[in-house]
Protein backbone atom coordinates (compact mmCIF):
# COMPACT_ATOMS: atom_id res chain seq x y z
CA UNK A 1 0.00 0.00 0.00
CA UNK A 2 2.92 2.34 0.59
CA UNK A 3 3.95 2.33 -3.07
CA UNK A 4 0.45 2.34 -4.57
CA UNK A 5 0.15 6.15 -4.93
CA UNK A 6 3.45 6.22 -6.85
CA UNK A 7 2.61 3.49 -9.39
CA UNK A 8 -1.01 4.36 -10.16
CA UNK A 9 -0.01 6.48 -13.17
CA UNK A 10 1.24 3.32 -14.89
CA UNK A 11 -2.12 1.57 -14.76
CA UNK A 12 -4.63 1.56 -17.58
CA UNK A 13 -8.35 1.98 -16.95
CA UNK A 14 -9.34 -1.61 -15.95
CA UNK A 15 -6.29 -2.12 -13.72
CA UNK A 16 -6.77 1.25 -12.10
CA UNK A 17 -10.32 0.39 -11.08
CA UNK A 18 -9.29 -3.12 -10.02
CA UNK A 19 -6.93 -1.61 -7.45
CA UNK A 20 -9.95 -0.11 -5.68
CA UNK A 21 -11.24 -3.57 -4.79
CA UNK A 22 -8.10 -4.77 -3.01
CA UNK A 23 -9.04 -3.27 0.33
CA UNK A 24 -10.75 -0.29 1.90
CA UNK A 25 -7.41 1.47 2.20
CA UNK A 26 -6.54 0.89 -1.45
CA UNK A 27 -9.94 2.21 -2.48
CA UNK A 28 -9.31 5.40 -0.54
CA UNK A 29 -5.84 5.80 -2.04
CA UNK A 30 -7.04 5.30 -5.61
CA UNK A 31 -10.02 7.61 -5.16
CA UNK A 32 -7.96 10.35 -3.54
CA UNK A 33 -5.26 10.11 -6.22
CA UNK A 34 -7.77 10.25 -9.07
CA UNK A 35 -9.70 13.12 -7.56
CA UNK A 36 -6.72 15.26 -6.59
CA UNK A 37 -5.40 14.86 -10.13
CA UNK A 38 -8.66 15.36 -12.03
CA UNK A 39 -9.78 18.43 -10.10
CA UNK A 40 -6.40 20.16 -10.13
CA UNK A 41 -6.47 23.42 -12.07
CA UNK A 42 -2.79 23.06 -12.86
CA UNK A 43 -3.10 19.49 -14.17
CA UNK A 44 -6.25 20.28 -16.15
CA UNK A 45 -4.49 23.18 -17.85
CA UNK A 46 -1.50 21.12 -18.99
CA UNK A 47 -1.04 19.89 -22.53
CA UNK A 48 -0.53 16.18 -21.87
CA UNK A 49 1.69 15.47 -24.83
CA UNK A 50 4.02 13.33 -22.76
CA UNK A 51 1.17 11.43 -21.14
CA UNK A 52 -0.09 10.45 -24.59
CA UNK A 53 3.16 8.58 -25.19
CA UNK A 54 1.71 5.59 -23.37
CA UNK A 55 -1.81 4.26 -23.98
CA UNK A 56 -2.00 3.14 -20.35
CA UNK A 57 -1.10 6.59 -19.04
CA UNK A 58 -2.76 7.85 -15.92
CA UNK A 59 -4.28 10.78 -17.77
CA UNK A 60 -6.01 8.60 -20.35
CA UNK A 61 -7.14 6.16 -17.68
CA UNK A 62 -8.78 8.85 -15.57
CA UNK A 63 -10.22 10.43 -18.71
CA UNK A 64 -11.87 7.11 -19.52
CA UNK A 65 -13.22 6.84 -15.97
CA UNK A 66 -14.74 10.32 -16.25
CA UNK A 67 -16.72 9.18 -19.29
CA UNK A 68 -18.91 7.23 -16.90
CA UNK A 69 -20.34 10.48 -15.53
CA UNK A 70 -21.80 12.00 -18.70
CA UNK A 71 -25.47 13.02 -18.55
CA UNK A 72 -27.23 13.86 -21.80
CA UNK A 73 -30.72 12.43 -21.17
CA UNK A 74 -33.11 11.20 -18.51
CA UNK A 75 -32.01 7.65 -19.33
CA UNK A 76 -28.43 8.52 -18.37
CA UNK A 77 -29.60 9.73 -14.97
CA UNK A 78 -31.84 6.71 -14.37
CA UNK A 79 -29.08 4.28 -15.35
CA UNK A 80 -26.65 6.02 -13.00
CA UNK A 81 -29.11 5.92 -10.11
CA UNK A 82 -29.96 2.26 -10.70
CA UNK A 83 -26.36 1.13 -11.10
CA UNK A 84 -25.27 2.73 -7.84
CA UNK A 85 -28.50 1.93 -5.98
CA UNK A 86 -29.11 5.56 -5.12
CA UNK A 87 -32.89 5.48 -5.28
CA UNK A 88 -33.32 4.98 -1.53
CA UNK A 89 -31.65 8.32 -0.90
CA UNK A 90 -33.48 10.16 -3.65
CA UNK A 91 -36.84 8.97 -2.37
CA UNK A 92 -36.31 10.56 1.03
CA UNK A 93 -36.11 14.10 2.24
CA UNK A 94 -32.49 15.19 2.52
CA UNK A 95 -30.73 17.65 4.76
CA UNK A 96 -27.20 18.81 4.11
CA UNK A 97 -25.42 15.63 5.24
CA UNK A 98 -27.80 12.86 6.25
CA UNK A 99 -31.15 11.29 5.41
CA UNK A 100 -34.06 10.49 7.72
CA UNK A 101 -32.44 7.24 8.84
CA UNK A 102 -29.32 9.12 9.94
CA UNK A 103 -27.42 7.25 7.25
CA UNK A 104 -24.43 9.11 5.88
CA UNK A 105 -24.55 9.86 2.16
CA UNK A 106 -21.33 8.97 0.34
CA UNK A 107 -19.88 10.47 -2.82
CA UNK A 108 -21.13 8.59 -5.92
CA UNK A 109 -18.85 10.46 -8.35
CA UNK A 110 -15.47 8.70 -8.49
CA UNK A 111 -13.74 11.61 -10.24
CA UNK A 112 -15.85 14.28 -8.49
CA UNK A 113 -16.71 15.50 -11.97
CA UNK A 114 -19.65 15.33 -14.39
CA UNK A 115 -20.50 16.33 -17.94
CA UNK A 116 -23.95 17.76 -18.72
CA UNK A 117 -25.41 18.34 -22.19
CA UNK A 118 -28.49 20.52 -22.55
CA UNK A 119 -30.43 20.50 -25.82
CA UNK A 120 -32.93 23.18 -26.72
CA UNK A 121 -36.23 21.47 -27.65
CA UNK A 122 -37.45 21.93 -31.21
CA UNK A 123 -40.96 20.53 -30.68
CA UNK A 124 -43.56 20.08 -27.89
CA UNK A 125 -42.68 16.37 -27.68
CA UNK A 126 -39.03 17.16 -27.16
CA UNK A 127 -39.95 19.78 -24.59
CA UNK A 128 -41.59 17.09 -22.42
CA UNK A 129 -38.56 14.80 -22.63
CA UNK A 130 -36.08 17.58 -21.89
CA UNK A 131 -38.13 18.78 -18.95
CA UNK A 132 -38.16 15.26 -17.49
CA UNK A 133 -34.38 15.11 -17.90
CA UNK A 134 -34.04 18.48 -16.19
CA UNK A 135 -36.13 17.41 -13.23
CA UNK A 136 -34.32 14.07 -12.83
CA UNK A 137 -30.88 15.65 -12.92
CA UNK A 138 -31.98 18.45 -10.61
CA UNK A 139 -33.08 15.84 -8.09
CA UNK A 140 -29.80 13.98 -8.36
CA UNK A 141 -27.71 17.13 -7.99
CA UNK A 142 -29.78 18.47 -5.10
CA UNK A 143 -28.67 15.39 -3.14
CA UNK A 144 -25.14 14.80 -4.39
CA UNK A 145 -24.14 18.06 -6.08
CA UNK A 146 -21.90 19.14 -3.20
CA UNK A 147 -19.51 16.29 -4.07
CA UNK A 148 -18.85 17.69 -7.56
CA UNK A 149 -15.75 19.81 -8.03
CA UNK A 150 -15.49 19.79 -11.83
CA UNK A 151 -18.25 20.30 -14.39
CA UNK A 152 -18.21 20.31 -18.16
CA UNK A 153 -21.41 21.89 -19.44
CA UNK A 154 -22.52 22.06 -23.07
CA UNK A 155 -25.63 23.89 -24.29
CA UNK A 156 -26.59 22.90 -27.84
CA UNK A 157 -28.66 24.65 -30.48
CA UNK A 158 -28.96 28.12 -29.05
CA UNK A 159 -31.29 30.14 -31.29
CA UNK A 160 -31.26 33.52 -29.59
CA UNK A 161 -33.06 31.94 -26.64
CA UNK A 162 -32.16 31.63 -23.00
CA UNK A 163 -33.87 28.33 -22.21
CA UNK A 164 -30.79 26.11 -22.46
CA UNK A 165 -28.34 28.34 -20.64
CA UNK A 166 -30.99 29.02 -17.97
CA UNK A 167 -31.19 25.29 -17.22
CA UNK A 168 -27.40 25.10 -17.03
CA UNK A 169 -27.36 27.94 -14.51
CA UNK A 170 -29.93 26.08 -12.41
CA UNK A 171 -27.60 23.06 -12.39
CA UNK A 172 -24.73 25.28 -11.25
CA UNK A 173 -26.76 26.30 -8.21
CA UNK A 174 -26.65 22.64 -7.13
CA UNK A 175 -22.84 22.32 -7.19
CA UNK A 176 -21.68 24.85 -4.57
CA UNK A 177 -18.15 23.40 -4.22
CA UNK A 178 -17.24 23.64 -7.90
CA UNK A 179 -13.55 24.36 -8.60
CA UNK A 180 -13.34 23.79 -12.37
CA UNK A 181 -16.00 24.89 -14.86
CA UNK A 182 -15.74 24.23 -18.61
CA UNK A 183 -18.83 25.63 -20.27
CA UNK A 184 -19.71 25.84 -23.96
CA UNK A 185 -22.68 27.20 -25.86
CA UNK A 186 -23.16 26.16 -29.49
CA UNK A 187 -25.40 28.10 -31.85
CA UNK A 188 -26.71 27.34 -35.32
CA UNK A 189 -27.58 30.98 -35.91
CA UNK A 190 -24.57 32.69 -34.36
CA UNK A 191 -26.91 35.13 -32.66
CA UNK A 192 -26.11 36.47 -29.24
CA UNK A 193 -28.05 35.75 -26.07
CA UNK A 194 -29.67 38.53 -24.09
CA UNK A 195 -28.08 37.96 -20.68
CA UNK A 196 -30.41 40.40 -18.95
CA UNK A 197 -33.08 37.70 -19.03
CA UNK A 198 -30.89 35.07 -17.37
CA UNK A 199 -31.13 34.11 -13.69
CA UNK A 200 -28.21 35.23 -11.48
CA UNK A 201 -25.15 33.00 -11.38
CA UNK A 202 -24.50 31.21 -8.07
CA UNK A 203 -21.69 32.36 -5.75
CA UNK A 204 -19.21 29.58 -6.48
CA UNK A 205 -16.65 30.65 -3.87
CA UNK A 206 -14.19 27.83 -4.70
CA UNK A 207 -14.23 28.28 -8.49
CA UNK A 208 -10.70 28.92 -9.75
CA UNK A 209 -10.67 27.48 -13.29
CA UNK A 210 -12.97 28.74 -16.08
CA UNK A 211 -12.94 27.57 -19.69
CA UNK A 212 -15.19 29.51 -22.07
CA UNK A 213 -13.12 28.86 -25.22
CA UNK A 214 -16.06 27.05 -26.87
CA UNK A 215 -18.60 29.66 -25.86
CA UNK A 216 -20.06 30.87 -29.15
CA UNK A 217 -22.37 33.18 -27.21
CA UNK A 218 -19.79 35.80 -26.22
CA UNK A 219 -22.28 37.74 -24.12
CA UNK A 220 -22.56 34.67 -21.88
CA UNK A 221 -18.75 34.32 -21.78
CA UNK A 222 -18.61 37.91 -20.57
CA UNK A 223 -21.22 37.21 -17.90
CA UNK A 224 -19.22 34.30 -16.49
CA UNK A 225 -15.83 36.00 -16.61
CA UNK A 226 -17.07 39.18 -15.00
CA UNK A 227 -18.88 37.24 -12.28
CA UNK A 228 -15.97 34.99 -11.30
CA UNK A 229 -12.94 36.83 -12.73
CA UNK A 230 -11.55 38.17 -9.47
CA UNK A 231 -11.21 34.66 -7.98
CA UNK A 232 -9.84 32.81 -11.04
CA UNK A 233 -6.31 31.42 -11.20
CA UNK A 234 -6.85 29.80 -14.63
CA UNK A 235 -8.68 31.05 -17.73
CA UNK A 236 -9.11 29.45 -21.15
CA UNK A 237 -10.87 31.63 -23.71
CA UNK A 238 -11.05 32.74 -27.32
CA UNK A 239 -8.97 35.73 -28.33
CA UNK A 240 -12.07 36.99 -30.12
CA UNK A 241 -13.74 37.42 -26.73
CA UNK A 242 -10.80 39.28 -25.28
CA UNK A 243 -10.77 41.75 -28.17
CA UNK A 244 -14.43 42.71 -27.82
CA UNK A 245 -14.95 46.46 -27.68
CA UNK A 246 -17.12 45.96 -24.60
CA UNK A 247 -14.14 44.42 -22.76
CA UNK A 248 -12.32 47.65 -22.04
CA UNK A 249 -8.69 47.73 -20.92
CA UNK A 250 -9.35 49.51 -17.60
CA UNK A 251 -11.79 46.71 -16.71
CA UNK A 252 -9.36 43.97 -17.76
CA UNK A 253 -6.56 45.39 -15.63
CA UNK A 254 -8.44 44.61 -12.44
CA UNK A 255 -10.65 41.74 -13.59
CA UNK A 256 -8.19 38.87 -13.02
CA UNK A 257 -5.96 39.84 -10.06
CA UNK A 258 -5.14 36.19 -9.22
CA UNK A 259 -4.73 34.82 -12.76
CA UNK A 260 -1.71 32.49 -13.08
CA UNK A 261 -2.54 30.52 -16.24
CA UNK A 262 -4.00 31.85 -19.50
CA UNK A 263 -4.67 29.97 -22.73
CA UNK A 264 -5.88 31.87 -25.80
CA UNK A 265 -7.29 29.70 -28.59
CA UNK A 266 -7.13 32.45 -31.22
CA UNK A 267 -4.97 35.56 -30.92
CA UNK A 268 -5.76 38.83 -32.69
CA UNK A 269 -3.67 42.03 -32.88
CA UNK A 270 -6.26 43.74 -30.67
CA UNK A 271 -5.98 40.86 -28.20
CA UNK A 272 -2.20 41.27 -28.02
CA UNK A 273 -2.53 45.01 -27.57
CA UNK A 274 -4.82 44.54 -24.57
CA UNK A 275 -2.57 41.90 -23.03
CA UNK A 276 0.29 44.40 -23.13
CA UNK A 277 -1.54 46.66 -20.69
CA UNK A 278 -2.98 44.39 -18.00
CA UNK A 279 -1.66 43.65 -14.51
CA UNK A 280 -2.02 39.89 -14.10
CA UNK A 281 0.49 37.66 -12.23
CA UNK A 282 0.70 35.15 -15.11
CA UNK A 283 3.02 32.17 -14.72
CA UNK A 284 1.92 30.20 -17.79
CA UNK A 285 0.91 31.82 -21.09
CA UNK A 286 -0.38 29.76 -24.02
CA UNK A 287 -0.90 31.25 -27.51
CA UNK A 288 -2.56 29.03 -30.10
CA UNK A 289 -3.13 30.49 -33.57
CA UNK A 290 -2.76 34.09 -34.72
CA UNK A 291 -5.73 35.58 -36.56
CA UNK A 292 -6.49 38.71 -38.59
CA UNK A 293 -9.00 41.36 -37.65
CA UNK A 294 -12.05 40.36 -39.70
CA UNK A 295 -13.85 43.67 -39.45
CA UNK A 296 -10.96 45.63 -40.94
CA UNK A 297 -9.38 42.83 -42.99
CA UNK A 298 -5.96 43.88 -41.69
CA UNK A 299 -3.38 41.24 -42.60
CA UNK A 300 -0.69 40.17 -40.15
CA UNK A 301 2.21 42.56 -40.65
CA UNK A 302 5.35 43.74 -38.93
CA UNK A 303 3.33 45.36 -36.17
CA UNK A 304 2.14 41.91 -35.05
CA UNK A 305 5.71 40.90 -34.28
CA UNK A 306 6.10 43.81 -31.90
CA UNK A 307 2.67 43.18 -30.37
CA UNK A 308 3.69 39.59 -29.56
CA UNK A 309 6.89 40.77 -27.91
CA UNK A 310 5.06 43.45 -25.94
CA UNK A 311 2.43 41.01 -24.69
CA UNK A 312 5.00 38.44 -23.56
CA UNK A 313 7.22 41.05 -21.95
CA UNK A 314 4.32 42.42 -19.96
CA UNK A 315 4.46 39.24 -17.87
CA UNK A 316 8.25 39.01 -17.85
CA UNK A 317 8.66 39.11 -14.08
CA UNK A 318 6.28 36.23 -13.36
CA UNK A 319 6.21 33.99 -16.45
CA UNK A 320 7.71 30.51 -15.93
CA UNK A 321 6.28 28.73 -18.98
CA UNK A 322 5.50 30.00 -22.49
CA UNK A 323 3.60 27.98 -25.10
CA UNK A 324 3.37 29.27 -28.67
CA UNK A 325 1.72 26.83 -31.09
CA UNK A 326 1.19 29.35 -33.86
CA UNK A 327 3.56 29.28 -36.83
CA UNK A 328 5.77 32.33 -36.34
CA UNK A 329 7.44 31.82 -39.72
CA UNK A 330 4.32 33.31 -41.31
CA UNK A 331 5.18 36.63 -39.70
CA UNK A 332 7.58 38.94 -41.56
CA UNK A 333 11.10 38.09 -40.42
CA UNK A 334 13.81 40.69 -39.79
CA UNK A 335 15.75 41.27 -43.00
CA UNK A 336 19.11 42.83 -43.78
CA UNK A 337 18.72 46.38 -45.05
CA UNK A 338 19.18 47.00 -48.78
CA UNK A 339 22.25 48.96 -49.85
CA UNK A 340 20.16 51.81 -51.12
CA UNK A 341 18.36 52.29 -47.78
CA UNK A 342 19.21 55.03 -45.38
CA UNK A 343 22.55 54.32 -43.70
CA UNK A 344 21.14 54.88 -40.23
CA UNK A 345 18.37 52.37 -40.87
CA UNK A 346 20.79 49.86 -42.37
CA UNK A 347 23.11 49.99 -39.40
CA UNK A 348 20.43 50.07 -36.73
CA UNK A 349 21.42 47.39 -34.22
CA UNK A 350 19.10 44.76 -32.89
CA UNK A 351 17.87 45.18 -29.35
CA UNK A 352 20.52 44.92 -26.67
CA UNK A 353 21.26 41.47 -25.40
CA UNK A 354 19.38 42.00 -22.15
CA UNK A 355 17.57 39.26 -20.27
CA UNK A 356 13.90 40.16 -19.93
CA UNK A 357 12.40 36.81 -18.87
CA UNK A 358 14.29 35.96 -15.66
CA UNK A 359 11.90 33.22 -14.47
CA UNK A 360 11.05 31.48 -17.75
CA UNK A 361 11.97 27.79 -17.39
CA UNK A 362 9.94 25.96 -20.06
CA UNK A 363 9.20 26.80 -23.68
CA UNK A 364 6.76 24.76 -25.79
CA UNK A 365 6.34 25.46 -29.50
CA UNK A 366 6.05 24.10 -33.02
CA UNK A 367 9.27 22.79 -34.54
CA UNK A 368 8.73 25.00 -37.59
CA UNK A 369 9.37 28.03 -35.39
CA UNK A 370 13.05 27.12 -35.34
CA UNK A 371 13.02 28.68 -38.80
CA UNK A 372 11.76 31.97 -37.39
CA UNK A 373 14.28 34.75 -36.80
CA UNK A 374 11.79 36.27 -34.39
CA UNK A 375 11.85 33.05 -32.35
CA UNK A 376 15.62 32.81 -32.07
CA UNK A 377 16.26 36.53 -31.56
CA UNK A 378 13.89 36.74 -28.62
CA UNK A 379 14.17 33.33 -26.96
CA UNK A 380 17.89 32.74 -27.31
CA UNK A 381 18.98 36.24 -26.32
CA UNK A 382 16.31 37.29 -23.83
CA UNK A 383 15.42 34.08 -21.97
CA UNK A 384 18.69 32.83 -20.50
CA UNK A 385 17.09 30.80 -17.68
CA UNK A 386 15.23 28.30 -19.88
CA UNK A 387 15.77 24.71 -18.76
CA UNK A 388 13.54 22.78 -21.19
CA UNK A 389 12.31 23.33 -24.75
CA UNK A 390 9.56 21.15 -26.24
CA UNK A 391 8.91 21.04 -29.99
CA UNK A 392 5.84 19.50 -31.60
CA UNK A 393 7.02 17.87 -34.84
CA UNK A 394 3.64 16.71 -36.14
CA UNK A 395 2.88 17.67 -39.76
CA UNK A 396 6.20 19.46 -40.09
CA UNK A 397 8.65 19.34 -42.99
CA UNK A 398 11.39 21.09 -41.04
CA UNK A 399 14.69 19.41 -41.89
CA UNK A 400 17.32 18.33 -39.36
CA UNK A 401 15.62 19.91 -36.33
CA UNK A 402 18.04 18.32 -33.88
CA UNK A 403 21.07 19.73 -35.64
CA UNK A 404 19.51 23.18 -35.86
CA UNK A 405 18.63 23.06 -32.15
CA UNK A 406 22.10 22.13 -30.86
CA UNK A 407 23.49 25.69 -30.80
CA UNK A 408 20.78 26.58 -28.26
CA UNK A 409 22.89 24.87 -25.59
CA UNK A 410 25.60 27.46 -26.17
CA UNK A 411 23.16 30.36 -25.99
CA UNK A 412 21.21 29.12 -22.97
CA UNK A 413 23.49 28.12 -20.08
CA UNK A 414 20.70 26.51 -18.00
CA UNK A 415 19.20 24.50 -20.87
CA UNK A 416 19.27 20.78 -20.06
CA UNK A 417 16.92 19.10 -22.57
CA UNK A 418 15.18 19.74 -25.87
CA UNK A 419 12.25 17.41 -26.56
CA UNK A 420 10.92 16.55 -30.01
CA UNK A 421 7.53 14.86 -29.90
CA UNK A 422 4.54 14.15 -32.09
CA UNK A 423 0.94 13.71 -30.98
CA UNK A 424 -0.37 10.35 -32.16
CA UNK A 425 -3.26 9.83 -34.52
CA UNK A 426 -5.81 7.88 -32.50
CA UNK A 427 -3.89 4.94 -31.00
CA UNK A 428 -0.60 5.31 -32.86
CA UNK A 429 2.58 5.33 -30.82
CA UNK A 430 4.27 8.61 -30.06
CA UNK A 431 7.64 9.32 -31.62
CA UNK A 432 9.84 11.18 -29.19
CA UNK A 433 13.50 12.19 -29.20
CA UNK A 434 15.45 14.05 -26.57
CA UNK A 435 18.48 16.23 -27.06
CA UNK A 436 20.46 16.43 -23.80
CA UNK A 437 23.36 18.58 -22.68
CA UNK A 438 26.48 16.43 -22.46
CA UNK A 439 27.95 15.95 -19.00
CA UNK A 440 31.58 16.98 -18.86
CA UNK A 441 34.42 15.03 -17.35
CA UNK A 442 36.52 16.48 -14.54
CA UNK A 443 39.28 17.26 -17.07
CA UNK A 444 37.08 19.27 -19.39
CA UNK A 445 37.54 23.03 -19.43
CA UNK A 446 34.25 23.59 -21.26
CA UNK A 447 31.63 21.74 -19.18
CA UNK A 448 28.61 22.74 -21.30
CA UNK A 449 30.18 22.95 -24.72
CA UNK A 450 28.78 19.91 -26.52
CA UNK A 451 25.27 18.58 -26.21
CA UNK A 452 24.64 14.87 -26.44
CA UNK A 453 21.69 13.18 -28.11
CA UNK A 454 19.61 10.48 -26.50
CA UNK A 455 18.15 7.72 -28.62
CA UNK A 456 14.79 8.20 -30.28
CA UNK A 457 12.16 6.75 -27.97
CA UNK A 458 8.95 4.96 -28.84
CA UNK A 459 6.31 4.52 -26.22
Amino acid sequence: MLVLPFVLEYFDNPDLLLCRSISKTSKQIVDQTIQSYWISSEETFKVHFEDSARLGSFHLAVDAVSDGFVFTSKQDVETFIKTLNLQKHLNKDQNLNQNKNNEAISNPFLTRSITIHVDTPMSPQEEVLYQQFFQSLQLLLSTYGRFIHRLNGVVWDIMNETQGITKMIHYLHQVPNLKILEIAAESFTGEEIEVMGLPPLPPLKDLEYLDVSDMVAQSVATLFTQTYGTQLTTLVCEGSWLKLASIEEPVLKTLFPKLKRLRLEGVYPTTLSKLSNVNWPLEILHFDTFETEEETAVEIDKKTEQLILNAVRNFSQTLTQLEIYADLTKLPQPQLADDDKDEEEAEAPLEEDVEVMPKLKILISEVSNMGSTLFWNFILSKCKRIEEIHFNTKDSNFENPMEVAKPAFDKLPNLEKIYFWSDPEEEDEVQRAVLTRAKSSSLSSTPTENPGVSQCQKS
Side-chain angles (χ1 to χ4, degrees), residues 11-75:
F11 286 83
D12 59 19
N13 186 17
D15 293 335
L16 181 68
L17 298 180
L18 186 61
C19 289
R20 300 178 73 243
S21 62
I22 297 175
S23 67
K24 183 177 180 180
T25 301
S26 67
K27 179 181 182 299
Q28 293 175 342
I29 291 175
V30 174
D31 290 0
Q32 290 173 0
T33 303
I34 290 176
Q35 291 165 11
S36 62
Y37 172 83
W38 200 242
I39 59 178
S40 164
S41 294
E42 185 174 359
E43 289 293 335
T44 303
F45 187 82
K46 285 182 179 178
V47 177
H48 291 274
F49 54 84
E50 289 192 85
D51 287 343
S52 64
R54 186 177 59 251
L55 290 179
S57 70
F58 189 64
H59 176 79
L60 292 179
V62 180
D63 194 7
V65 173
S66 70
D67 289 341
F69 305 97
V70 177
F71 300 97
T72 62
S73 67
K74 180 185 178 183
Q75 183 61 43

Side-chain angles (χ1 to χ4, degrees), residues 16-265:
L16 181 68
L17 298 180
L18 186 61
C19 289
R20 300 178 73 243
S21 62
I22 297 175
S23 67
K24 183 177 180 180
T25 301
S26 67
K27 179 181 182 299
Q28 293 175 342
I29 291 175
V30 174
D31 290 0
Q32 290 173 0
T33 303
I34 290 176
Q35 291 165 11
S36 62
Y37 172 83
W38 200 242
I39 59 178
S40 164
S41 294
E42 185 174 359
E43 289 293 335
T44 303
F45 187 82
K46 285 182 179 178
V47 177
H48 291 274
F49 54 84
E50 289 192 85
D51 287 343
S52 64
R54 186 177 59 251
L55 290 179
S57 70
F58 189 64
H59 176 79
L60 292 179
V62 180
D63 194 7
V65 173
S66 70
D67 289 341
F69 305 97
V70 177
F71 300 97
T72 62
S73 67
K74 180 185 178 183
Q75 183 61 43
D76 292 335
V77 179
E78 293 175 345
T79 301
F80 182 77
I81 292 173
K82 182 178 180 180
T83 301
L84 296 182
N85 194 25
L86 302 176
Q87 194 62 51
K88 61 180 180 179
H89 297 303
L90 294 176
N91 287 339
K92 298 176 181 179
D93 295 332
Q94 306 292 325
N95 58 30
L96 289 178
N97 297 299
Q98 297 176 323
N99 61 25
K100 286 183 177 180
N101 297 327
N102 204 34
E103 181 182 356
I105 301 176
S106 59
N107 170 34
F109 305 103
L110 175 57
T111 59
R112 289 190 181 271
S113 68
I114 63 171
T115 297
I116 299 174
H117 288 193
V118 177
D119 287 337
T120 303
M122 305 296 289
S123 68
Q125 293 77 14
E126 286 187 348
E127 171 63 34
V128 173
L129 293 176
Y130 293 159
Q131 189 61 26
Q132 290 175 349
F133 168 51
F134 173 72
Q135 293 172 350
S136 298
L137 190 53
Q138 276 279 86
L139 180 58
L140 178 67
L141 294 180
S142 66
T143 306
Y144 299 101
R146 66 182 182 277
F147 294 114
I148 296 172
H149 291 174
R150 177 176 177 176
L151 187 148
N152 185 317
V154 181
V155 181
W156 296 98
D157 190 26
I158 294 177
M159 301 181 69
N160 202 26
E161 296 179 355
T162 61
Q163 184 175 1
I165 196 66
T166 295
K167 288 183 178 180
M168 187 63 70
I169 292 175
H170 283 305
Y171 293 139
L172 292 178
H173 278 271
Q174 304 297 332
V175 287
N177 299 318
L178 204 62
K179 294 179 60 178
I180 298 174
L181 174 59
E182 300 161 293
I183 185 164
E186 300 291 341
S187 172
F188 289 159
T189 65
E191 297 181 22
E192 279 297 342
I193 294 177
E194 180 52 62
V195 296
M196 295 299 293
L198 295 177
L201 295 176
L204 303 174
K205 57 182 178 59
D206 295 327
L207 188 68
E208 58 184 39
Y209 182 112
L210 178 64
D211 184 344
V212 289
S213 60
D214 289 326
M215 181 69 75
V216 173
Q218 293 184 334
S219 58
V220 180
T222 301
L223 175 64
F224 276 83
T225 51
Q226 291 185 340
T227 300
Y228 302 115
T230 56
Q231 64 192 68
L232 297 179
T233 62
T234 308
L235 175 66
V236 181
C237 68
E238 272 283 346
S240 58
W241 170 79
L242 201 57
K243 77 182 185 72
L244 290 176
S246 58
I247 310 298
E248 300 177 353
E249 288 185 14
V251 175
L252 280 179
K253 285 184 177 181
T254 58
L255 185 56
F256 303 109
K258 298 180 180 180
L259 199 64
K260 294 182 179 181
R261 293 170 285 270
L262 172 66
R263 180 184 300 147
L264 293 180
E265 300 294 351

